[in-house]
Amino acid sequence: MENMQYAEELVREFLVFRGFTNTLQAFESELSTDIGKGFQVDKIRDLIFSVYIPKFQAEKLVGLLNFFKQCLSPSCEGVFVTTLCKLEVSILRYYIIHAIQLKRRDKVVEFYGMYGDDLLQRGQDWTPWFAIPYVKNPSLDPEFRTYFSKEWCEALHLSISSEKSTVSRLKKDIKQLNLKLSELQALLEEKEAQLCQLRSNVPSLTDASTEQTSSSSSVVNEENLHMSRDIQESSSSIPQMDEAEVGRDLSGPVGNQPEFTMSKSAYDLGSSSVVHVRDGGIGDTSQLLQDGTYIENGRESHVEELPEVKVDFQETFLGHTSPISRCCFSASGNNIASASIDGTVRIWTYDSASPASRNATIYCGAEIMSLDWECKSDRLLLIGTADGGIKAWNVDAKRVVCDLNTTEAFPSVLDIKCSPVEPIFVSAAASIGRGSSSIHNSGFASLTVWNMKTWKAMSVLPLGKDHPAITSLSFNHNGKILAASATDGMIHMFDMSAGLQITGWPAHDSAISSILFGPDETSIFSLGSDGKIFEWSLQNQGQVLWSRNCSRYCDPESSRHCRHEMALDANGKRLLVTSGLVRAPIYQVRSHTNGLRTLPHTAAVTTVDWHPTLPIFLTGSADNSVRVTSIV
């Protein structure tokens, strides 16, 4: 505090000496208010993004960033210095991107002329950036595409003021909680006083009241029994809609649309009954009754009391003409691949700001069993089919660059996973072919490692003779460990460098339909075909860290279109699961709070995925639609 006062006196002395009386007056005025009590993050952010960068004042921008680095003495924690250096790199790259967007490449060349040598000495992958003034369309180049996105720019702005906003929000929450606590304490004291008064006034009525309560209870139970019978009789009279009728209802409005149709949907999130009106046709009605029962597709179902998600926006893709079997975001999240059971894969984008040049329709001639994007870029999409085919689609060239086939003994490619590091992928094939969507009848397994440069099989991972089918695969972050789940309920772990199985354990009493590494990779999630979810510790093998039972969302009818699957969000905090109902659950991992439920489709939710970085998820449905939902 003494150092701060000394610095303020030096500023006053300097202003008086130079004759800056107006500045001195403003300085004194601001010191007497809250403005002078610390860094004003909002004002500094406005100075950077509203003055220095728009006016291309590179010298002032770099000077301000250097000043902040000098403020952090060598004794400060390394985390602060590292964070500031990363922030400085992002701000300088934003300056370059802003200049390119305004077609001021001369300002970029000028910037490199002044600070290029310093940037090269720092490292931090600046070398590719010196080519950006000479790249024809840098916003489409994989090296720079992320930095031109709206999401990256917004994240940069928020990263500067997020701490202040978080503190402000927490203070407000604490104030509200304290107020609520005071109200509850006052109410509790009032009720305790009333209870004490009743006990002192009517001690002799206890036995009589007990007898009366017992009698009343039997009467109520009998009435409830009659009411339950009445409800069952009335619900049985509700007309049922089979899949053919649902298909006829959907074919009307959808058939009149172009192949790629995106429609924004608005919802009344406060309503317990949601009716969808889409393109002149009325969709399904999902109505919540007072006892927690939902009427969905004319069918009565009891669902968990999960609150509905709060939606920022939702887009609906109506390009498919059959139920959706798979859908997934690309590595960047800019492109989406979705497959239907008629053997068609479509590549599209939900964001109007993203180029539609990669949009395509791929006809595979067999049911699509698996999809996966190349992890390092959005360039290649791998497709596995029920007739043993594995296709590699190049989204830039818009053609199949490789068409592989598994052995005749294992024709059904249940899952495909690309390594996050090496140019390889692993295919899980089963001995039962076409028409075997049910994992219970998938036969035996084969795990093959493929080279993505030569497009040839490299090795077969050891499973033993006649091993039950492998249904799902998951790589860890560096691609050294591969997890695989099987129809016999086992989880297997493979060392990819040695090509050997290193461990395994029985995880479920039923077939496992989906498996995922946790976000910190100290755990692994598994989903059984019976709807049971477990998070297993990888440090203490066999220990369950978290579990949920979503069996009420499992529906044998929907399994004809897909296998039950799950997806983790970018932070690993929310788990989205497919559903035999029109809504799908989103569970809060390792949290005692309630999860959420998605907005309804008009049929079962057959496939799910999360955006790699944003709170946006995909849901594919048996109603032939795919929805992109951004949640608040």
Side-chain angles (χ1 to χ4, degrees), residues 378-513:
D378 295 356
R379 188 173 58 91
L380 290 176
L381 174 70
L382 297 180
I383 306 167
T385 64
D387 64 352
I390 300 175
K391 298 180 186 296
W393 176 265
N394 187 309
V395 294
D396 293 325
K398 283 193 173 184
R399 65 184 181 90
V400 174
V401 294
C402 188
D403 201 343
L404 306 173
N405 285 99
T406 61
T407 60
E408 292 183 1
F410 300 98
S412 188
V413 185
L414 296 183
D415 202 10
I416 289 178
K417 278 294 179 292
C418 293
S419 168
V421 176
E422 299 181 58
I424 63 171
F425 72 90
V426 179
S427 64
S431 60
I432 303 297
R434 188 182 300 272
S436 61
S437 295
S438 175
I439 62 175
H440 298 282
N441 303 314
S442 299
F444 304 119
S446 173
L447 282 179
T448 306
V449 183
W450 303 81
N451 189 309
M452 296 178 68
K453 290 184 177 179
T454 62
W455 297 110
K456 294 181 179 180
M458 297 171 56
S459 62
V460 176
L461 296 177
L463 285 171
K465 184 179 179 181
D466 295 340
H467 188 281
I470 297 296
T471 58
S472 181
L473 303 171
S474 181
F475 274 103
N476 72 332
H477 73 287
N478 58 16
K480 292 184 177 180
I481 304 296
L482 175 72
S485 62
T487 55
D488 61 354
M490 288 288 295
I491 292 177
H492 304 277
M493 307 289 281
F494 294 89
D495 181 349
M496 293 303 294
S497 58
L500 297 173
Q501 183 174 172
I502 53 178
T503 188
W505 67 94
H508 288 258
D509 295 330
S510 65
I512 303 175
S513 57

Side-chain angles (χ1 to χ4, degrees), residues 175-237:
K175 185 176 180 181
Q176 292 178 346
L177 289 173
N178 286 334
L179 180 61
K180 188 174 182 179
L181 179 61
S182 300
E183 293 175 352
L184 291 174
Q185 286 176 338
L187 181 61
L188 179 61
E189 292 174 0
E190 181 183 350
K191 295 297 182 183
E192 286 180 346
Q194 292 177 359
L195 183 60
C196 292
Q197 184 178 2
L198 288 173
R199 284 176 177 173
S200 61
N201 291 341
V202 288
S204 61
L205 297 179
T206 304
D207 295 336
S209 63
T210 302
E211 182 179 353
Q212 183 178 359
T213 301
S214 176
S215 175
S216 300
S217 176
S218 63
V219 173
V220 170
N221 288 336
E222 186 175 353
E223 290 179 354
N224 286 341
L225 181 60
H226 287 300
M227 290 176 64
S228 176
R229 290 173 180 169
D230 292 341
I231 291 174
Q232 290 177 1
E233 291 174 359
S234 62
S235 64
S236 64
S237 65

